[in-house]
Amino acid sequence: MNEILLAVPGITCEHCVTAITASVGRVPGVTAVHVDVAAKTVRTTGDADPDAVRAAIDDAGYETV
C-alpha cells in the first residue's frame, strides 16, 4: 500500500474537503482520502496512480503544487 501526499493551496473550508474527497475517492486504487484544511494537503492511501489523483483534484476545481 502506498501513500500520496499533495499540497493543495486552494483548500479553505469543509466544502473543499467534501468536493476533493468525493472526486479522489473515485480514483481506482484509492482506499482512503484525508484532506487537511489547516495544512492544505490531500493524503491518500492505496495503490492509485499519483497522476490520476492529481487529475481528480484538478477535476474538483483545485490545483496541486
Side-chain angles (χ1 to χ4, degrees):
M1 189 146 344
N2 297 320
E3 183 176 274
I4 300 168
L5 178 63
L6 298 168
V8 184
I11 298 172
T12 59
C13 64
E14 285 303 312
H15 169 75
C16 302
V17 173
T18 301
I20 292 170
T21 300
S23 186
V24 173
R26 291 190 293 269
V27 174
V30 170
T31 57
V33 180
H34 176 73
V35 180
D36 187 327
V37 176
K40 299 186 181 301
T41 58
V42 176
R43 181 184 314 270
T44 67
T45 55
D47 294 320
D49 176 8
D51 290 334
V53 173
R54 283 187 196 92
I57 293 169
D58 289 344
D59 288 346
Y62 301 89
E63 184 178 334
T64 60
V65 292

